[in-house]
Amino acid sequence: MDRISEAIADLHKMDMEAGKGGLLQGIHPLPKLLVTLFFVLLTVSFGKYELSRLLRMGIYLIVLFVIGDISVKLLLKRMKLLLVLVCLVGIANPFFDREIMFFVGKAAVTGGMVSAATLMLKGIFAVSASYLLMVTTSMEDICYALRKLHVPKMFVTILMLIYRYIILFLKEIRQMTDAYLLRAPGQKGVHYKAWGTMVGRLLLRSMDRAQTVYESMMMRGYDGEFYLRCKRKAGGRDYLYAAVWSVVLIGIRAI
Amino acid sequence: MNLLEIENLSFAYENLRRKSPNYVLNNINLHIKEGENVGLIGENGAGKSTFLKILTGLLDMQEGKVQLSSLELKKENLRKIRTEIGYVFQDSDSQLFMSTVYEDVAFAPRNYGKDESGVQEAVTSALRQVHMEDKKDRQIYRLSGGEKKLAAIATVLAVGTRLMLLDEPSAALDPKNRRNLIRILNELPCAKLIASHDLDFVYDTCQRVILLSGGEIAADGDAEKILTDRELLEGHGLELPLSFSRERGYMGLGTENSHRFFENRNCEYFPCHKEAGVLNCMFCYCPLYLKEKCPGIPSYIEKNGRRIKDCSNCTFPHQPENYDTIIRILKE
C-alpha cells in the first residue's frame, strides 16, 4: 500500500476505533475532553527543570493505554512526524544553557539538557493525550464537547470540516499521483517539473470537491452550524471518571 | 395535482442581457405531478445537471418561474423548498461527509430543528425505506458503492422530501446494486426526476421521459414511446436502450423490462408470481424480489447457459421441454 493509501486507511481506522464499544469509548465525550485538557494544562505547568516530577504524569497515559487496550506502537507509527517535530522544539537548549546541574557518572548534565528533555516530554505527553482522546472519541463527539464548552461555532465547524476534508483531499492526491505514475513507468515519485501543474490541478479539483460538499450541506438545511448531539447523557460513571482523574492529576502535580 | 410547475425557464452561465447569450436552458415549460417518476435524458452537455441545480436553488434562476406546490423558487423560500426537494448527487462520496450512516442521515433533520427523538424517528424511517436499518452505525467509508448511493437517498428522505432529484443514480453501480436501486426507487412514494444516460434504468423507473437537447425540451411523454423511438433518440445524440435494441434479437430477456412486458400485457403464464404481488416474471434474475415474496422458489435452473428460476407454486408447466416455448413467447 502506498503512503497516501496508508494515511487514508489510518484515518479510517482511527474513526473505527473511536466508534467501537470499549471501556474508554463508552465514557461521555465531555468528561474525556475536560480530563485531557486538564492533563495537558498540568503537564505544561511544570517548570523547565522539573523533569523527574513531570515523568510521574506518565501514569495517566499508561493507565489509559492499558485499560483502553490501545497500541503504543500504532501511536508511534501514526504520530511519528509530529513527535519528531515536538522533539525538535528544545533541541537548541543545551547550547544556550550550559550550567552543570549534576553528574551521571563522569558525564555532566547541563541545565539545557534537562530543559530540552522536559520540553520534549511535555510535547510527547500532550500529543499522546490528544491521540488517546482521538482514538476513543469520534470527531463529532469531540466537536459536540467543544460546543458544550462554548468554543465558538466557527472554530468547531472548521475543525469538523478539516477532519472530514482531509480524507477527500488525500483521495484526490492519490488519484492524481496514480494517474501520473501509471504514465511514468520506472519513475520514482512525481518529477519536480510536474509539481506546479499537479498542485494547481489539485487545488482546482479540491475546490470542486469542496463546492459539492458545501452544496450537499446547503441542500440539507446547513445554516452555519453543525447541530451535534451525543448519543447519551453524561451519567454517574462519567462524573466519577472526571473526578477520579482530577484528584489523581492534582495529587501528582502537588507531590 | 401538479407538484412542480416550470414556466419559461431560461438559463445561461453568462449574462442573459448580452446580445446572443449561450443558453444552457431555453424556455423550458413543464410540470410534474405528485408521485410521478420522470426521466430526464439527453446527451452530454444537454443541460440536465444544470436544470436539476436550478430546481434546488444551487444555481440562480435568471428567467422564468418555478413553483413547488404553493412555494415559488426564491431566495427567501429556499430553506422551505429544500425540505420538499431533495437532491441526490452523482458522487455519493461528496454527499456523505459525516462519520457514520446515522450521523449523516441525521444531519438534515437536526438542521431543521427536530428534537433528538424526532431525529431518531426520521433516520429510522429513512433507512427503513432504503432497507439499510441494519447499517445505521456503519462507518461511511466501509459502505460499498451501492450502499453509499442508498445512504445518500436516505439523507434526502429523512426530511420528508416530496420531489427527489437524482443525478446519474446508476453511475458506477454493478448490475446487482443497480437492480436493487431500481427496486427501491420504485418503492418510494415521492415524485422523482431522474437525470441519466442509462436509458434502461430510466425505463425501469420512470413512466414519463423528458428529452433535453440543446437546452430545449425535444420530447416529453410516455417512457416506452420515447425510449423505443430510435429516430428521435439518435437524432439527439442518444441510442436505443439495450433492452429494445433490435440487434440483440430479444426484449431484455431476464431484465426488469421483460417483467414489465408481461405485466403490461397481463401475462397469463405466471400466475403464482402475480398472486404473490411480485412484479418480476420468472425470467428475472433478481433473487431479492422472489426470495422475499415467493418463498416457493427453490433454486435456479440452467438452460442454454441462461438462468431460469423454478417455482414449485407456479401452475405454468415449465418443465424443461417447455423452455423453448417460453423463450419463443418472450421473443415474440
Side-chain angles (χ1 to χ4, degrees):
Chain A
M1 203 169 13
D2 62 277
R3 283 164 66 184
I4 301 168
S5 303
E6 237 174 87
I8 296 171
D10 261 350
L11 280 168
H12 286 327
K13 262 188 218 159
M14 277 170 69
D15 252 357
M16 204 169 71
E17 282 163 21
K20 73 180 182 188
L23 199 62
L24 285 175
Q25 282 86 346
I27 290 165
H28 195 270
L30 189 58
K32 261 192 287 186
L33 178 70
L34 282 172
V35 169
T36 306
L37 290 174
F38 192 52
F39 171 81
V40 173
L41 203 74
L42 287 183
T43 301
V44 296
S45 74
F46 281 92
K48 63 178 180 178
Y49 301 126
E50 292 181 294
L51 182 60
S52 56
R53 289 182 67 208
L54 177 63
L55 274 170
R56 291 181 215 151
M57 292 296 280
I59 292 170
Y60 168 79
L61 299 173
I62 293 167
V63 171
L64 290 198
F65 272 111
V66 172
I67 62 170
D69 195 20
I70 295 157
S71 158
V72 181
K73 209 171 139 190
L74 265 180
L75 160 81
L76 296 173
K77 190 185 151 214
R78 287 171 179 169
M79 299 282 166
K80 59 187 172 202
L81 260 178
L82 199 59
L83 289 173
V84 169
L85 278 176
V86 160
C87 291
L88 288 175
V89 173
I91 204 100
N93 285 21
F95 300 104
F96 297 115
D97 182 357
R98 294 181 179 184
E99 193 184 326
I100 295 171
M101 292 191 74
F102 55 91
F103 286 89
V104 178
K106 282 181 183 175
V109 177
T110 63
M113 288 178 187
V114 175
S115 65
T118 309
L119 262 178
M120 285 176 195
L121 208 58
K122 281 181 183 178
I124 290 168
F125 279 5
V127 169
S128 305
S130 313
Y131 173 79
L132 280 170
L133 178 69
M134 282 179 69
V135 290
T136 57
T137 321
S138 70
M139 187 46 83
E140 281 90 356
D141 282 349
I142 294 175
C143 289
Y144 161 82
L146 286 170
R147 282 299 289 145
K148 279 277 161 199
L149 294 176
H150 296 284
V151 173
K153 68 178 180 185
M154 185 61 83
F155 177 82
V156 175
T157 302
I158 289 172
L159 184 70
M160 181 98 183
L161 287 178
I162 286 176
Y163 187 73
R164 287 289 148 234
Y165 195 68
I166 282 173
I167 294 170
L168 291 181
F169 188 69
L170 287 172
K171 280 182 181 170
E172 287 294 342
I173 297 176
R174 184 178 59 185
Q175 219 167 26
M176 284 179 70
T177 46
D178 283 352
Y180 176 92
L181 292 172
L182 281 171
R183 285 177 288 157
Q187 198 173 303
K188 214 176 176 185
V190 179
H191 194 271
Y192 73 91
K193 281 183 181 170
W195 286 1
T197 327
M198 282 193 80
V199 169
R201 290 288 308 153
L202 182 64
L203 182 71
L204 291 175
R205 288 169 70 144
S206 304
M207 281 164 69
D208 260 358
R209 201 79 186 250
Q211 181 66 25
T212 316
V213 173
Y214 182 65
E215 283 174 353
S216 162
M217 288 163 66
M218 295 290 288
M219 280 305 300
R220 290 194 270 155
Y222 177 71
D223 59 357
E225 172 147 24
F226 275 94
Y227 295 97
L228 299 161
R229 312 262 167 88
C230 193
K231 278 178 194 153
R232 60 182 193 83
K233 284 184 176 170
R237 193 178 58 158
D238 308 304
Y239 295 124
L240 188 69
Y241 175 85
V244 167
W245 273 120
S246 303
V247 171
V248 170
L249 291 174
I250 290 171
I252 293 172
R253 180 70 184 89
I255 297 166
Chain B
M1 187 193 157
N2 287 340
L3 175 65
L4 180 78
E5 284 187 48
I6 299 168
E7 285 172 27
N8 308 318
L9 174 71
S10 295
F11 180 86
Y13 279 102
E14 62 218 73
N15 194 341
L16 283 186
R17 289 197 187 95
R18 276 177 59 165
K19 266 187 185 170
S20 52
N22 207 356
Y23 282 109
V24 179
L25 296 171
N26 190 13
N27 201 27
I28 303 283
N29 288 287
L30 68 91
H31 62 267
I32 293 175
K33 287 183 193 141
E34 196 92 47
E36 194 177 22
N37 291 352
V38 182
L40 186 64
I41 61 170
E43 59 185 334
N44 286 115
K48 302 187 294 292
S49 298
T50 304
F51 183 56
L52 296 189
K53 285 197 170 186
I54 289 171
L55 296 187
T56 53
L58 292 173
L59 285 175
D60 287 333
M61 191 176 56
Q62 290 154 325
E63 273 178 21
K65 189 178 168 191
V66 176
Q67 185 132 355
L68 183 82
S69 297
S70 57
L71 282 169
E72 198 176 331
L73 184 63
K74 280 181 182 169
K75 213 166 188 176
E76 54 266 32
N77 291 337
L78 274 185
R79 201 171 156 78
K80 177 81 184 100
I81 279 182
R82 283 172 181 167
T83 61
E84 309 264 329
I85 294 186
Y87 186 29
V88 180
F89 289 73
Q90 185 177 349
D91 179 9
S92 309
D93 265 332
S94 302
Q95 181 151 13
L96 306 169
F97 46 81
M98 303 295 271
S99 59
T100 62
V101 173
Y102 183 93
E103 288 296 325
D104 224 301
V105 179
F107 183 77
R110 280 178 185 159
N111 281 334
Y112 286 107
K114 283 200 174 168
D115 59 22
E116 207 44 38
S117 64
V119 169
Q120 203 169 352
E121 209 173 287
V123 173
T124 310
S125 158
L127 289 175
R128 193 184 308 120
Q129 289 183 71
V130 296
H131 306 284
M132 278 188 72
E133 308 100 304
D134 54 330
K135 297 191 175 75
K136 73 179 167 109
D137 292 322
R138 186 80 67 93
Q139 248 78 21
I140 295 288
Y141 79 91
R142 291 184 69 201
L143 299 177
S144 68
E147 288 168 339
K148 276 183 190 169
K149 186 59 77 184
L150 295 180
I153 291 173
T155 64
V156 165
L157 291 172
V159 279
T161 296
R162 288 165 71 197
L163 172 61
M164 190 187 290
L165 312 178
L166 297 107
D167 194 1
E168 296 288 355
S170 62
L173 291 186
D174 63 30
K176 191 179 156 202
N177 278 309
R178 181 179 170 280
R179 189 160 294 146
N180 191 32
L181 180 63
I182 291 171
R183 181 174 67 107
I184 285 167
L185 286 179
N186 284 335
E187 283 172 7
L188 297 176
C190 61
K192 287 160 227 100
L193 181 57
I194 302 173
S196 182
H197 287 117
D198 182 348
L199 301 189
D200 288 280
F201 184 88
V202 171
Y203 180 66
D204 284 331
T205 48
C206 304
Q207 298 89 42
R208 181 179 152 204
V209 164
I210 295 166
L211 171 60
L212 268 186
S213 181
E216 292 176 5
I217 293 179
D220 180 354
D222 179 65
E224 190 164 345
K225 207 172 163 190
I226 291 178
L227 294 174
T228 50
D229 191 336
R230 179 195 289 261
E231 211 172 303
L232 175 74
L233 293 175
E234 289 184 353
H236 294 95
L238 297 169
E239 287 180 351
L240 276 180
L242 279 177
S243 46
F244 291 121
S245 172
R246 294 283 179 262
E247 288 79 12
R248 293 288 291 269
Y250 62 87
M251 196 198 111
L253 193 65
T255 67
E256 299 286 331
N257 290 328
S258 63
H259 78 246
R260 187 182 288 201
F261 176 85
F262 282 103
E263 192 193 28
N264 289 346
R265 283 157 189 77
N266 292 320
C267 176
E268 61 195 71
Y269 295 109
F270 312 105
C272 83
H273 297 282
K274 290 180 80 172
E275 278 163 23
V278 183
L279 290 175
N280 302 58
C281 76
M282 62 184 289
F283 293 93
C284 176
Y285 292 166
C286 178
L288 288 167
Y289 285 87
L290 297 169
K291 261 186 195 165
E292 270 177 21
K293 298 187 179 170
C294 192
I297 297 156
S299 62
Y300 293 107
I301 286 179
E302 294 274 340
K303 169 75 178 172
N304 297 334
R306 186 169 294 286
R307 278 154 56 154
I308 296 176
K309 285 196 179 76
D310 178 28
C311 175
S312 53
N313 294 335
C314 190
T315 52
F316 180 70
H318 53 82
Q319 280 77 30
E321 57 267 29
N322 289 326
Y323 289 147
D324 291 335
T325 316
I326 297 167
I327 290 169
R328 185 176 51 77
I329 293 165
L330 279 168
K331 279 182 177 175
E332 282 169 8

